[in-house]
Amino acid sequence: MNIKGKLIIIGGAVDKGSFTETDLDKNVANNLNFFETGILKRILLEAKHKEQSRIEVITTASKIPKEIGPEYVKAFNYLGALNVDVMNIDKREMASQPDIIERLRAADVVIFTGGDQLRLTSILGGTAFHDILLDKYHNEDFIYAGTSAGAAAASNNMIYQGSSSEALLKGEVKITSGLGLIDGVVIDTHFVQRGRIGRLFQAVVGNPRTLGIGLGEDTGLLIKHNTEMEAIGSGLVILVDGREIKDTNLTQIELGQPISINHLVTHVMSIYDTFDLKTFKMTIKSSQYAENLTFTKEDIASERTVR
């Protein structure tokens, strides 16, 4: 199937330029790097009509939608996108209201905020909103962006619970169905900061065909055609590939017992690195083994100093 939409999944804590600060304008210089190269800017660059795109911020997952929604509106406005609004769908019946459906049909970009991914799927799953969202993603030049809960819910399999410290005890990680935009992966967020790699290990050992994706904060993946993944943002993406697992005790132990895994493959991606979901091949953008390396003035100066 040729997927026309784009998926942008973000690990949480997106640096929106510290809009909670009252002296934003005085500190703009500190935020310029984000505005120029950060994730929200990349969303606009990938959007159908760039800054003129119709953007809807979906705050369903959040318990503080009135606070978080305007944060995103301000951030996008600062980047030049003025056609931005907030949809707070907090009841299932709202997901079928004509005005909500009309706004979704008109949207070029939807961005799902953080919060509770189970709240997100339990409210939107199986509704008219959900059906149209999938149709637009499959058949239009459309972007689904999700941060934290919005990212975790994007895949067919969704982690919704699990202790980081006890993640490799059998049964500690809970998985249910997500929104189903992409299959064959399971996504975890706030990955590096909250030490959640064990959660992905358990998710993958239970079905080694599934690729585990761990997103650090202010870090994400741009996925095109549901196959081409590019790392964006300031941190790390961890991939857990279970296809070459040689052995495990998973089916021999009781609930709550430690899981053993032999030969689990991991990859670490940073900005501009790519990964192909068809071939499972990773390409490091700034590989030290590249044939045509580019050198900065600092590199040359450093070489001369050593010599």
Side-chain angles (χ1 to χ4, degrees), residues 21-282:
E21 296 179 7
T22 56
D23 58 346
L24 167 68
D25 293 335
K26 297 178 182 179
N27 289 318
V28 167
N30 295 331
N31 303 314
L32 286 179
N33 183 59
F34 169 75
F35 289 134
E36 292 301 322
T37 63
I39 293 173
L40 296 190
K41 182 66 174 180
R42 185 61 183 272
I43 290 174
L44 294 181
L45 290 173
E46 295 291 336
K48 183 177 181 180
H49 301 296
K50 305 299 187 275
E51 287 83 357
Q52 286 71 47
S53 297
R54 178 63 187 159
I55 301 172
E56 293 283 1
V57 180
I58 316 294
T59 58
T60 303
S62 178
K63 293 181 179 179
I64 51 168
K66 292 181 180 179
E67 287 78 9
I68 196 67
E71 287 283 298
Y72 281 88
V73 174
K74 289 179 183 178
F76 278 118
N77 287 171
Y78 200 88
L79 292 170
L82 302 178
N83 195 11
V84 187
D85 209 344
V86 178
M87 270 198 250
N88 179 32
I89 305 169
D90 58 6
K91 297 181 179 64
R92 281 184 64 80
E93 54 265 30
M94 291 181 64
S96 298
Q97 290 178 356
D99 60 326
I100 294 291
I101 296 303
E102 183 179 348
R103 286 171 61 181
L104 177 59
R105 289 191 187 278
D108 300 302
V109 178
V110 293
I111 179 163
F112 287 78
T113 68
D116 181 350
Q117 54 263 45
L118 196 58
R119 174 178 167 83
L120 181 58
T121 56
S122 64
I123 290 175
L124 297 181
T127 64
F129 186 99
H130 188 195
D131 292 340
I132 293 168
L133 182 72
L134 290 173
D135 182 69
K136 286 177 69 71
Y137 180 68
H138 283 94
N139 299 304
E140 298 181 20
D141 184 358
F142 171 76
I143 292 178
Y144 172 107
T147 180
S148 189
S155 55
N156 192 47
N157 296 312
M158 179 184 79
I159 295 174
Y160 71 93
Q161 186 177 330
S163 165
S164 298
S165 61
E166 299 178 341
L168 275 174
L169 300 182
K170 183 177 178 178
E172 284 296 319
V173 177
K174 306 295 191 297
I175 298 176
T176 188
S177 297
L179 295 176
L181 284 90
I182 185 170
D183 202 1
V185 303
V186 63
I187 301 161
D188 210 353
T189 58
H190 301 281
F191 194 71
V192 177
Q193 290 77 4
R194 299 185 187 178
R196 288 179 167 174
I197 194 163
R199 302 203 328 177
L200 274 192
F201 285 173
Q202 181 161 172
V204 169
V205 74
N207 186 353
R209 184 178 178 85
T210 300
L211 179 73
I213 298 176
L215 302 168
E217 294 184 351
D218 194 32
T219 305
L221 283 174
L222 166 64
I223 306 176
K224 298 180 179 180
H225 312 298
N226 272 13
T227 57
E228 305 163 15
M229 305 199 307
E230 177 191 342
I232 58 178
S234 63
L236 300 175
V237 178
I238 312 295
L239 303 180
V240 179
D241 180 0
R243 295 174 309 146
E244 297 183 26
I245 289 176
K246 298 184 184 300
D247 197 7
T248 178
N249 64 350
L250 183 66
T251 62
Q252 303 303 113
I253 57 176
E254 301 294 329
L255 290 175
Q257 295 300 305
I259 300 171
S260 301
I261 310 170
N262 181 13
H263 208 264
L264 191 60
V265 176
T266 60
H267 307 278
V268 182
M269 301 175 69
S270 59
I271 191 167
Y272 306 130
D273 293 344
T274 58
F275 189 90
D276 190 319
L277 283 171
K278 285 184 177 179
T279 62
F280 272 59
K281 299 297 184 183
M282 177 178 164

